[in-house]
């Protein structure tokens, strides 16, 4: 059995691969069409103009769905592993589920509301994806702290802690550099500015901001890679529990079971 066939590890693996492909495809297309500069534009800039924004939106919608599925499976896994650990850990796990779903929803908002079209909505989506996503990483790191060494090794917690610190550093760097850039370029429509010239006013702050954003995206993808080994040890299945042999509604239909027979239920003669 191949590694990706074990348990549900294909979920985080697919999330990382598909999201990386979304960023890569949008970047290559935008650069080839000269819609953005080759030297690390904002991720959102690579999905601003047609035709790349169309495929970018569709691919990130799929990433959003994969993110929600991954977050839910992680919630159920931790719930099963820590069933006897107390209510506090259960509430922390539930908070992680809510934060993860909100962050995935934010990714969908970012993909479908370009910053040049509806900047406030795009900014809200970015805050949900990155800000709430960082809180999700924090919660999962705290859960990993409580789960080691009995449920998993200390190295897993240390890896997630390192990625969490990487995420925090990238957020701080991006926020500070963005504030400096916007304060330097007063009166300039930075939202619609897709091309930058080295040496121009605000260029350095812009580059620090874009590098920080790509670093933050890489940190998020790296965090979900740590789920692969955990997800190899879990499977989910759906059970169908029929409440009735028919789909009618109302008590006057209850006698249909006795009066009617179906080849699917009793077999043909």
């Amino acid at each position: 059995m191949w590694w990706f066939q074990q348990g549900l590890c294909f979920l985080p693996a697919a999330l990382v691969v598909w999201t990386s492909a979304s960023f890569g495809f949008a970047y290559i297309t935008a650069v080839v069409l000269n819609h953005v500069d080759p030297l690390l534009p904002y991720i959102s800039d690579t999905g601003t103009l047609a035709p790349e924004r169309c495929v970018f939106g569709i691919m990130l919608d799929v990433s959003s769905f994969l993110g929600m599925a991954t977050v839910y499976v992680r919630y159920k896994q931790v719930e099963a592993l820590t069933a006897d650990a107390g209510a506090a850990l259960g509430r922390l796990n539930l908070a992680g589920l809510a934060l993860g779903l909100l962050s995935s929803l934010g990714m969908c908002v970012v993909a479908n509301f370009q910053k040049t079209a509806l900047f406030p909505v795009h900014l809200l989506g970015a805050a949900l994806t990155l800000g709430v996503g960082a809180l999700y990483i924090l919660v999962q790191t705290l859960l990993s702290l409580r789960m080691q060494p009995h449920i998993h090794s200390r190295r897993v917690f240390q890896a997630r802690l390192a990625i969490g610190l990487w995420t925090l550093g990238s957020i701080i760097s991006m926020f500070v550099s963005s504030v400096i850039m916007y304060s330097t370029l007063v009166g300039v429509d930075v939202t619609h500015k897709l091309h930058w010239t080295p040496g121009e006013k605000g260029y350095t702050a812009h580059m620090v901001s874009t590098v920080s954003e790509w670093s933050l995206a890489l940190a998020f993808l790296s965090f979900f890679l740590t789920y692969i080994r955990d997800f190899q040890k879990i499977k989910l299945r759906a059970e169908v529990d029929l409440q009735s042999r028919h789909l009618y509604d109302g008590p006057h239909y209850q006698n249909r079971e006795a009066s009617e027979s179906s080849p699917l239920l009793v077999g043909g003669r």
Side-chain angles (χ1 to χ4, degrees):
M1 180 180 294
W2 296 92
W3 66 269
F4 54 84
Q5 295 176 303
Q6 300 177 25
L8 293 175
C9 72
F10 68 89
L11 270 179
L15 172 60
V16 171
V17 172
W18 185 266
T19 306
S20 301
S22 304
F23 295 158
F25 177 84
Y27 171 79
I28 292 172
T29 306
V31 169
V32 169
L33 296 177
N34 197 33
H35 290 166
V36 296
D37 299 319
L39 188 57
L40 287 184
Y42 282 116
I43 296 175
S44 299
D45 288 352
T46 64
T48 296
L49 300 177
E52 60 268 19
R53 74 179 179 189
C54 305
V55 181
F56 184 71
I58 293 174
M59 294 185 74
L60 277 193
D61 285 342
V62 175
S63 293
S64 177
F65 171 76
L66 291 174
M68 290 182 180
T70 301
V71 165
Y72 177 74
V73 171
R74 175 62 179 175
Y75 164 75
K76 297 300 292 184
Q77 183 181 47
V78 174
E79 181 185 50
L81 291 172
T82 61
D84 302 325
L89 200 60
R91 287 194 294 269
L92 187 63
N93 188 33
L94 185 61
L97 173 64
L99 292 171
L101 293 178
L102 278 175
S103 180
S104 299
L105 177 63
M107 187 187 305
C108 188
V109 173
V110 167
N112 294 281
F113 294 89
Q114 292 79 28
K115 72 174 190 176
T116 54
L118 288 172
F119 182 69
V121 180
H122 181 85
L123 190 61
L124 173 62
L128 289 175
T129 304
L130 304 178
V132 177
L135 292 178
Y136 173 76
I137 291 178
L138 173 62
V139 169
Q140 292 300 323
T141 303
L142 291 176
L143 285 172
S144 296
L145 174 63
R146 298 286 297 274
M147 291 167 66
Q148 58 87 32
H150 301 292
I151 297 178
H152 61 63
S153 67
R154 187 178 299 273
R155 287 182 298 178
V156 174
F157 162 69
Q158 292 172 342
R160 289 172 182 163
L161 177 61
I163 295 175
L165 295 175
W166 176 10
T167 301
L168 178 61
S170 298
I171 288 178
I172 294 174
S173 175
M174 184 173 67
F175 177 77
V176 172
S177 58
S178 296
V179 170
I180 294 174
M181 179 183 66
Y182 277 92
S183 61
T184 302
L185 299 174
V186 178
V188 178
D189 188 6
V190 181
T191 302
H192 291 80
K193 186 176 175 59
L194 301 180
H195 294 278
W196 296 76
T197 303
E200 71 174 306
K201 192 176 182 180
Y203 179 79
T204 301
H206 164 74
M207 289 306 302
V208 173
S209 180
T210 57
V211 169
S212 300
E213 185 185 50
W214 282 94
S215 173
L216 183 57
L218 185 59
F220 272 75
L221 296 177
S222 299
F223 182 82
F224 283 107
L225 283 177
T226 67
Y227 280 176
I228 290 180
R229 289 190 62 187
D230 293 354
F231 277 38
Q232 287 179 333
K233 299 174 175 62
I234 183 174
K235 288 184 178 180
L236 295 180
R237 67 177 184 272
E239 294 185 1
V240 179
D241 184 14
L242 290 177
Q243 303 298 314
S244 174
R245 288 293 182 178
H246 59 76
L247 300 179
Y248 294 102
D249 190 18
H252 54 286
Y253 289 111
Q254 291 180 356
N255 293 329
R256 283 180 176 270
E257 291 188 47
S259 61
E260 296 181 4
S261 61
S262 170
L264 295 177
L265 299 179
V266 301
R269 295 183 178 179

